[in-house]
Short mmCIF file of all heavy atoms in Angstrom, two decimals:
data_model
loop_
_atom_site.label_atom_id
_atom_site.label_comp_id
_atom_site.label_asym_id
_atom_site.label_seq_id
_atom_site.Cartn_x
_atom_site.Cartn_y
_atom_site.Cartn_z
N ASN A 28 89.21 72.17 63.07
CA ASN A 28 90.08 72.98 62.22
C ASN A 28 89.90 72.49 60.79
O ASN A 28 90.44 71.46 60.41
CB ASN A 28 91.53 72.84 62.68
CG ASN A 28 92.51 73.63 61.83
OD1 ASN A 28 92.26 73.90 60.66
ND2 ASN A 28 93.63 73.99 62.41
N ASN A 29 89.07 73.19 60.01
CA ASN A 29 88.83 72.87 58.60
C ASN A 29 87.96 71.62 58.41
O ASN A 29 87.95 71.02 57.35
CB ASN A 29 90.15 72.69 57.82
CG ASN A 29 89.95 72.92 56.34
OD1 ASN A 29 89.17 73.76 55.92
ND2 ASN A 29 90.67 72.16 55.52
N VAL A 30 87.25 71.21 59.43
CA VAL A 30 86.33 70.08 59.33
C VAL A 30 84.93 70.57 59.68
O VAL A 30 84.70 71.11 60.76
CB VAL A 30 86.73 68.93 60.27
CG1 VAL A 30 85.69 67.80 60.21
CG2 VAL A 30 88.11 68.40 59.90
N ASP A 31 83.98 70.42 58.74
CA ASP A 31 82.62 70.86 58.97
C ASP A 31 81.92 69.97 59.99
O ASP A 31 82.25 68.79 60.14
CB ASP A 31 81.83 70.84 57.66
CG ASP A 31 82.36 71.85 56.65
OD1 ASP A 31 82.86 72.91 57.09
OD2 ASP A 31 82.30 71.58 55.44
N LEU A 32 80.91 70.56 60.67
CA LEU A 32 80.24 69.87 61.77
C LEU A 32 78.73 69.93 61.61
O LEU A 32 78.19 70.97 61.22
CB LEU A 32 80.62 70.50 63.11
CG LEU A 32 82.11 70.56 63.46
CD1 LEU A 32 82.31 71.42 64.70
CD2 LEU A 32 82.66 69.16 63.68
N ILE A 33 78.07 68.83 61.92
CA ILE A 33 76.61 68.80 62.02
C ILE A 33 76.24 68.22 63.38
O ILE A 33 76.74 67.15 63.77
CB ILE A 33 75.98 67.95 60.90
CG1 ILE A 33 76.21 68.60 59.53
CG2 ILE A 33 74.48 67.76 61.14
CD1 ILE A 33 75.65 67.79 58.37
N PHE A 34 75.37 68.92 64.11
CA PHE A 34 74.89 68.46 65.41
C PHE A 34 73.38 68.34 65.35
O PHE A 34 72.69 69.32 65.07
CB PHE A 34 75.29 69.44 66.51
CG PHE A 34 76.77 69.62 66.69
CD1 PHE A 34 77.42 70.68 66.07
CD2 PHE A 34 77.50 68.73 67.45
CE1 PHE A 34 78.78 70.86 66.22
CE2 PHE A 34 78.88 68.90 67.61
CZ PHE A 34 79.52 69.97 66.99
N ARG A 35 72.85 67.15 65.62
CA ARG A 35 71.42 66.92 65.63
C ARG A 35 71.03 66.23 66.93
O ARG A 35 71.45 65.11 67.20
CB ARG A 35 71.00 66.04 64.44
CG ARG A 35 71.30 66.67 63.07
CD ARG A 35 71.08 65.69 61.95
NE ARG A 35 71.38 66.26 60.64
CZ ARG A 35 71.82 65.54 59.60
NH1 ARG A 35 72.00 64.23 59.74
NH2 ARG A 35 72.08 66.12 58.45
N ASN A 36 70.24 66.91 67.73
CA ASN A 36 69.73 66.34 68.97
C ASN A 36 70.87 65.81 69.85
O ASN A 36 70.86 64.66 70.29
CB ASN A 36 68.72 65.22 68.68
CG ASN A 36 67.99 64.76 69.93
OD1 ASN A 36 67.72 65.54 70.83
ND2 ASN A 36 67.68 63.47 70.00
N CYS A 37 71.84 66.67 70.10
CA CYS A 37 73.01 66.27 70.89
C CYS A 37 73.14 67.13 72.14
O CYS A 37 72.58 68.22 72.23
CB CYS A 37 74.28 66.42 70.06
SG CYS A 37 74.44 65.24 68.73
N SER A 38 73.93 66.63 73.07
CA SER A 38 74.34 67.41 74.23
C SER A 38 75.87 67.42 74.25
O SER A 38 76.50 66.38 74.43
CB SER A 38 73.79 66.80 75.53
OG SER A 38 74.29 67.49 76.66
N ILE A 39 76.44 68.60 74.04
CA ILE A 39 77.90 68.75 73.97
C ILE A 39 78.32 69.75 75.04
O ILE A 39 77.77 70.86 75.10
CB ILE A 39 78.35 69.28 72.58
CG1 ILE A 39 77.59 68.57 71.45
CG2 ILE A 39 79.85 69.14 72.42
CD1 ILE A 39 77.90 67.12 71.28
N ASP A 40 79.30 69.39 75.87
CA ASP A 40 79.64 70.33 76.94
C ASP A 40 80.45 71.53 76.44
O ASP A 40 80.34 72.63 76.99
CB ASP A 40 80.35 69.63 78.10
CG ASP A 40 81.60 68.87 77.69
OD1 ASP A 40 82.03 69.01 76.53
OD2 ASP A 40 82.14 68.14 78.52
N SER A 41 81.24 71.37 75.35
CA SER A 41 81.99 72.51 74.84
C SER A 41 82.46 72.26 73.41
O SER A 41 82.80 71.14 73.04
CB SER A 41 83.20 72.82 75.73
OG SER A 41 84.03 71.67 75.87
N ILE A 42 82.46 73.34 72.61
CA ILE A 42 82.90 73.28 71.22
C ILE A 42 83.85 74.44 70.95
O ILE A 42 83.57 75.59 71.33
CB ILE A 42 81.71 73.36 70.25
CG1 ILE A 42 80.75 72.19 70.46
CG2 ILE A 42 82.19 73.38 68.79
CD1 ILE A 42 79.47 72.29 69.65
N TYR A 43 84.95 74.15 70.30
CA TYR A 43 85.96 75.17 69.95
C TYR A 43 86.20 75.09 68.45
O TYR A 43 86.51 74.03 67.92
CB TYR A 43 87.26 74.87 70.69
CG TYR A 43 88.38 75.89 70.55
CD1 TYR A 43 88.82 76.62 71.64
CD2 TYR A 43 89.02 76.10 69.33
CE1 TYR A 43 89.86 77.53 71.54
CE2 TYR A 43 90.05 77.01 69.21
CZ TYR A 43 90.47 77.72 70.31
OH TYR A 43 91.50 78.62 70.20
N ILE A 44 86.04 76.23 67.77
CA ILE A 44 86.32 76.30 66.33
C ILE A 44 87.54 77.18 66.14
O ILE A 44 87.59 78.31 66.63
CB ILE A 44 85.11 76.86 65.56
CG1 ILE A 44 83.91 75.93 65.73
CG2 ILE A 44 85.44 77.02 64.08
CD1 ILE A 44 82.64 76.44 65.08
N ASP A 45 88.52 76.67 65.42
CA ASP A 45 89.78 77.39 65.24
C ASP A 45 89.51 78.80 64.71
O ASP A 45 88.80 78.98 63.71
CB ASP A 45 90.68 76.63 64.27
CG ASP A 45 92.07 77.22 64.22
OD1 ASP A 45 92.24 78.26 63.57
OD2 ASP A 45 92.99 76.65 64.84
N GLU A 46 90.09 79.79 65.35
CA GLU A 46 89.78 81.18 65.01
C GLU A 46 90.29 81.60 63.64
O GLU A 46 89.86 82.62 63.09
CB GLU A 46 90.35 82.12 66.07
CG GLU A 46 91.84 82.00 66.27
CD GLU A 46 92.32 82.85 67.44
OE1 GLU A 46 91.65 83.86 67.74
OE2 GLU A 46 93.36 82.52 68.03
N ASP A 47 91.18 80.84 63.05
CA ASP A 47 91.74 81.21 61.75
C ASP A 47 91.11 80.44 60.59
O ASP A 47 91.44 80.69 59.44
CB ASP A 47 93.26 80.97 61.74
CG ASP A 47 93.97 81.85 62.76
OD1 ASP A 47 93.54 83.00 62.93
OD2 ASP A 47 94.94 81.37 63.37
N VAL A 48 90.25 79.47 60.88
CA VAL A 48 89.72 78.62 59.81
C VAL A 48 88.19 78.58 59.90
O VAL A 48 87.63 77.74 60.60
CB VAL A 48 90.29 77.19 59.88
CG1 VAL A 48 89.82 76.37 58.68
CG2 VAL A 48 91.80 77.22 59.96
N PRO A 49 87.49 79.48 59.22
CA PRO A 49 86.03 79.43 59.22
C PRO A 49 85.53 78.13 58.61
O PRO A 49 86.05 77.66 57.59
CB PRO A 49 85.63 80.63 58.35
CG PRO A 49 86.82 81.52 58.33
CD PRO A 49 88.00 80.60 58.42
N ILE A 50 84.53 77.54 59.21
CA ILE A 50 83.95 76.30 58.69
C ILE A 50 82.44 76.46 58.62
O ILE A 50 81.90 77.53 58.87
CB ILE A 50 84.31 75.09 59.58
CG1 ILE A 50 83.73 75.28 60.99
CG2 ILE A 50 85.81 74.87 59.63
CD1 ILE A 50 83.85 74.06 61.87
N CYS A 51 81.77 75.39 58.26
CA CYS A 51 80.32 75.39 58.18
C CYS A 51 79.78 74.50 59.31
O CYS A 51 80.24 73.38 59.49
CB CYS A 51 79.86 74.87 56.83
SG CYS A 51 78.11 75.16 56.52
N VAL A 52 78.82 75.02 60.05
CA VAL A 52 78.26 74.29 61.18
C VAL A 52 76.74 74.25 61.05
O VAL A 52 76.10 75.28 60.85
CB VAL A 52 78.63 74.96 62.52
CG1 VAL A 52 77.98 74.20 63.68
CG2 VAL A 52 80.14 75.02 62.69
N GLU A 53 76.18 73.06 61.15
CA GLU A 53 74.73 72.91 61.21
C GLU A 53 74.37 72.43 62.61
O GLU A 53 74.91 71.45 63.10
CB GLU A 53 74.23 71.90 60.18
CG GLU A 53 72.72 71.65 60.28
CD GLU A 53 72.26 70.54 59.35
OE1 GLU A 53 72.79 70.43 58.24
OE2 GLU A 53 71.37 69.77 59.76
N ILE A 54 73.45 73.13 63.25
CA ILE A 54 73.05 72.75 64.60
C ILE A 54 71.55 72.95 64.74
O ILE A 54 71.02 74.00 64.35
CB ILE A 54 73.83 73.57 65.66
CG1 ILE A 54 73.48 73.10 67.07
CG2 ILE A 54 73.64 75.06 65.49
CD1 ILE A 54 74.43 73.64 68.13
N ASP A 55 70.84 71.95 65.25
CA ASP A 55 69.39 72.05 65.33
C ASP A 55 68.94 72.53 66.71
O ASP A 55 69.75 72.71 67.64
CB ASP A 55 68.72 70.73 64.96
CG ASP A 55 69.02 69.61 65.94
OD1 ASP A 55 69.61 69.88 67.01
OD2 ASP A 55 68.66 68.45 65.64
N ASP A 56 67.63 72.75 66.84
CA ASP A 56 67.07 73.30 68.08
C ASP A 56 67.12 72.30 69.23
O ASP A 56 66.95 72.69 70.39
CB ASP A 56 65.62 73.74 67.86
CG ASP A 56 65.50 74.91 66.90
OD1 ASP A 56 66.51 75.64 66.75
OD2 ASP A 56 64.43 75.08 66.29
N GLN A 57 67.31 71.03 68.94
CA GLN A 57 67.34 70.01 70.00
C GLN A 57 68.74 69.81 70.58
O GLN A 57 68.93 69.02 71.49
CB GLN A 57 66.83 68.67 69.45
CG GLN A 57 65.33 68.62 69.20
CD GLN A 57 64.90 69.41 67.99
OE1 GLN A 57 65.50 69.27 66.92
NE2 GLN A 57 63.89 70.25 68.13
N THR A 58 69.71 70.51 70.04
CA THR A 58 71.09 70.36 70.51
C THR A 58 71.42 71.43 71.55
O THR A 58 71.10 72.60 71.37
CB THR A 58 72.08 70.48 69.34
OG1 THR A 58 71.89 69.36 68.46
CG2 THR A 58 73.52 70.47 69.82
N THR A 59 72.06 71.00 72.63
CA THR A 59 72.50 71.93 73.66
C THR A 59 74.02 71.92 73.73
O THR A 59 74.65 70.86 73.67
CB THR A 59 71.93 71.57 75.04
OG1 THR A 59 72.35 70.23 75.40
CG2 THR A 59 70.41 71.62 75.02
N VAL A 60 74.60 73.11 73.84
CA VAL A 60 76.05 73.27 73.93
C VAL A 60 76.35 74.08 75.18
O VAL A 60 75.82 75.20 75.35
CB VAL A 60 76.62 73.98 72.69
CG1 VAL A 60 78.14 74.14 72.83
CG2 VAL A 60 76.29 73.20 71.43
N GLY A 61 77.19 73.53 76.05
CA GLY A 61 77.52 74.23 77.28
C GLY A 61 78.29 75.51 77.04
O GLY A 61 77.93 76.59 77.51
N ILE A 62 79.39 75.41 76.26
CA ILE A 62 80.25 76.56 76.00
C ILE A 62 80.69 76.56 74.55
O ILE A 62 81.18 75.55 74.04
CB ILE A 62 81.52 76.52 76.91
CG1 ILE A 62 81.12 76.52 78.39
CG2 ILE A 62 82.43 77.70 76.62
CD1 ILE A 62 82.30 76.34 79.32
N TRP A 63 80.52 77.69 73.87
CA TRP A 63 81.11 77.91 72.55
C TRP A 63 82.38 78.71 72.73
O TRP A 63 82.40 79.70 73.46
CB TRP A 63 80.16 78.71 71.65
CG TRP A 63 79.01 77.93 71.10
CD1 TRP A 63 77.75 77.87 71.60
CD2 TRP A 63 79.02 77.12 69.92
NE1 TRP A 63 76.96 77.06 70.81
CE2 TRP A 63 77.71 76.58 69.77
CE3 TRP A 63 80.00 76.79 68.99
CZ2 TRP A 63 77.36 75.75 68.72
CZ3 TRP A 63 79.64 75.95 67.93
CH2 TRP A 63 78.34 75.44 67.82
N LYS A 64 83.46 78.31 72.04
CA LYS A 64 84.72 79.02 72.15
C LYS A 64 85.27 79.38 70.78
O LYS A 64 85.21 78.59 69.85
CB LYS A 64 85.77 78.17 72.87
CG LYS A 64 85.40 77.76 74.30
CD LYS A 64 86.51 76.94 74.93
CE LYS A 64 86.16 76.55 76.34
NZ LYS A 64 87.24 75.74 76.97
N LYS A 65 85.80 80.59 70.66
CA LYS A 65 86.56 81.01 69.48
C LYS A 65 85.81 80.78 68.17
O LYS A 65 86.27 80.06 67.29
CB LYS A 65 87.91 80.27 69.44
CG LYS A 65 88.84 80.57 70.59
CD LYS A 65 89.41 81.98 70.49
CE LYS A 65 90.44 82.22 71.58
NZ LYS A 65 91.02 83.57 71.52
N ILE A 66 84.65 81.37 68.04
CA ILE A 66 83.93 81.27 66.77
C ILE A 66 84.47 82.34 65.83
O ILE A 66 84.29 83.53 66.06
CB ILE A 66 82.42 81.48 66.97
CG1 ILE A 66 81.88 80.53 68.04
CG2 ILE A 66 81.67 81.29 65.65
CD1 ILE A 66 82.07 79.07 67.73
N PRO A 67 85.18 81.97 64.76
CA PRO A 67 85.82 82.97 63.90
C PRO A 67 84.85 83.65 62.96
O PRO A 67 83.80 83.09 62.62
CB PRO A 67 86.84 82.15 63.11
CG PRO A 67 86.23 80.79 63.05
CD PRO A 67 85.48 80.60 64.34
N LEU A 68 85.20 84.86 62.54
CA LEU A 68 84.42 85.53 61.51
C LEU A 68 84.44 84.69 60.24
O LEU A 68 85.48 84.14 59.87
CB LEU A 68 85.00 86.92 61.23
CG LEU A 68 84.88 87.96 62.35
CD1 LEU A 68 85.61 89.24 61.96
CD2 LEU A 68 83.42 88.25 62.65
N GLY A 69 83.30 84.56 59.60
CA GLY A 69 83.23 83.76 58.38
C GLY A 69 82.66 82.38 58.60
O GLY A 69 82.32 81.69 57.66
#
C-alpha cells in the first residue's frame, strides 16, 4: 500500500497490491509469481 516494489530473480507465491493505491512495480523475466491479486488501474 503506497510502497514501490522491485522483484529480481525471485519466487513469490502471491502478491497483493491495494486496489486504491497505484504504485510502481519492476519485475524481471526471472521472477515467478504464483498469484497476482487486486492490481489497481494506474
